[in-house]
Each structure stands twice: as C-alpha cells, then as structure tokens.
Amino acid sequence: MKPTHLHLTEDCRAVSAVLQRVGDKWTILVVQRLGGGPKRFNELRNEVGGISQKMLTTTLRSLERDGFVTRTVFPTIPPRVDYELTDLGRELQVPVNALGEWARANIGRINAAREKFDRSIAA
Amino acid sequence: MKPTHLHLTEDCRAVSAVLQRVGDKWTILVVQRLGGGPKRFNELRNEVGGISQKMLTTTLRSLERDGFVTRTVFPTIPPRVDYELTDLGRELQVPVNALGEWARANIGRINAAREKFDRSIAA
DNA sequence: CCGCATCCAACAGGATACTG
DNA sequence: CAGTATCCTGTTGGATGCGG
C-alpha cells in the first residue's frame, strides 16, 4: 500500500473528470449566480449574460443530474421554475472558490508568461 | 467598493477561464505526473496512458505558454526533452489538489445523484 | 526520440423557430 | 415563461505519415 497522501492514476481520472465537468463554458458562471439563493430561469439568463437559452437549459440539466442543483416547477400560468443549489452544490463551491481565488491572484503571472512566450515565438 | 470577499462577474470570468484551461482532457493528468519531478516526453506519454502524441505535444505547449512548465532540450542524438513544473505550476497544484480531494470524497454522491436522475427519466 | 502536418470524426455550442 | 427541436459552425482530439 502506498501512503494515502499520494493519490495516483485511479483517482486522478476522477479529478480530471470533475474538472472537465466544472470546466465547461457556463457551469461555473451559473453556479456562482446560484450562490446567492434560488433563481428563476430567465433571471439566471439575464444575470449570467451572453448565454443562449439552449446552453442554459443544458447546463442546468447537467447540474441537476449531478445533484448540484434542484429544479422546482410552480404550475402557474405563466410557468415558473426555480433553480437552487443543493448541499452538494454549495460544498462544491468551497474548492472551486479556492481555485478561483488562486486564479484571481495569479492571472497576471499567467498573462505575463503568455506574452513572453508569444514574443519569443515571433522571433 | 464592494466587500472583498464577494467576487462578482468581472472576476468570475477569469475563474471560468482558468477552469476551462485546466479542465481540458489531459492537462491535469500531465501536471499530476510532473508533480514527481522532471520527465521526458515519452516517459510522460507512457505514464499518462491513452494520450496521443499530438495531444501531449499540444498540452505541453499550452502549459509552457502559460508558464506552468519549462521545456529543456538536450541537443543529443537521439534528442532528449525534459519537462518540469515551474513555481507557478507547483502553486497551481495546491488548489487543484484541493478540488481533487473534494472530487475523490464526493464522487460517490455524484454518481448516486446521476443514477437517481437517470432512473427518474426512464420512468 | 521528439514533434510537426494532415486528414477526419465527434462534439460543443450558437441562432432561429416553434410549443404548452 | 420556460422550455424543445432543428440546423449549422467552430473546435477538440484521435490516427496516420513524414522529418530533424
């Protein structure tokens, strides 16, 4: 048995899978907006901005399937649908926010590296 | 000025961008393998497993461009190229590993939610 | 050994039109 | 209002062959 602080390939695939899951174009933006409490479909649509109806539907369905959000339909006319983070969804925000914090703190270093790299390519 | 613990849309785009960056198919697997020290191209290729030559090249180039890895060419015959994490790359591992730890701990809950969702769809 | 170039299949995601 | 259905595009990524 290996020491438990070393998580090797078996686990690493799961990590990669989750990162790909939350790494798609809209997931994080939607989850972040839902952090402030339940929201309706078009409310999300407006707040996220730039997302198509199709992609918001798709993103929310995936989040629901993975147990990150709940979908509540109010059978009124016109219909009203609320989306809300589950416990699992709120717990996901913790490590995601940590990564976000790191991104905020280091985006300058990344951009500097890119510019340097691109300049050395042009030469 | 908003309180600093609330990072709103401006920042959230950057977060999303970084997540998409590390959320591609191979990046995390490659970075994880490089965590153990410098590695040669085919060494990485074998250890990661299942990655095509093209994608390993592409992934490594992107990592290099973003300042996460260095590329060192030894002008021998046959040629030898070492890839190694930079400080930035090693720092990136911290929040990524935290997310990985979360993924490991919660993959069961996610899978359970998926099965439940899929069963309720079939009905 | 390392990597580039090319071709190609699969998929993500946007635009638009229609429905309860 | 909250979707579904269809079409169309760009991108991702695998397979293969060549080159230094």
Side-chain angles (χ1 to χ4, degrees), chain A residues 24-26 52-55 79:
Chain A
D24 74 356
K25 192 166 181 181
W26 299 107
S52 66
Q53 197 174 34
K54 174 185 171 180
M55 286 315 297

Side-chain angles (χ1 to χ4, degrees), chain A residues 61-76:
Chain A
R61 279 290 179 284
S62 298
L63 286 170
E64 189 192 359
R65 188 174 109 96
D66 290 350
F68 295 131
V69 308
T70 55
R71 177 172 182 273
T72 311
V73 180
F74 299 90
T76 55

Side-chain angles (χ1 to χ4, degrees), chain B residues 36-50:
Chain B
K39 293 225 187 298
R40 303 181 55 173
F41 186 86
N42 276 347
E43 211 174 349
L44 273 172
R45 185 152 159 55
N46 293 329
E47 291 188 9
V48 169

Side-chain angles (χ1 to χ4, degrees), chain B residues 38-114:
Chain B
K39 293 225 187 298
R40 303 181 55 173
F41 186 86
N42 276 347
E43 211 174 349
L44 273 172
R45 185 152 159 55
N46 293 329
E47 291 188 9
V48 169
I51 188 171
S52 68
Q53 197 173 35
K54 174 184 171 182
M55 286 315 297
L56 183 52
T57 301
T58 304
T59 301
L60 287 168
R61 279 289 178 286
S62 297
L63 286 171
E64 190 193 358
R65 187 174 109 97
D66 289 351
F68 295 132
V69 309
T70 56
R71 178 173 182 271
T72 311
V73 180
F74 299 92
T76 56
I77 297 182
R80 166 194 176 134
V81 183
D82 275 15
Y83 292 92
E84 183 172 16
L85 287 183
T86 61
D87 288 342
L88 189 62
R90 272 184 290 272
E91 290 169 31
L92 172 65
Q93 285 193 301
V94 177
V96 165
N97 284 342
L99 188 53
E101 203 54 48
W102 185 92
R104 269 173 38 82
N106 292 281
I107 185 68
R109 289 212 271 168
I110 295 172
N111 284 332
R114 284 180 184 170

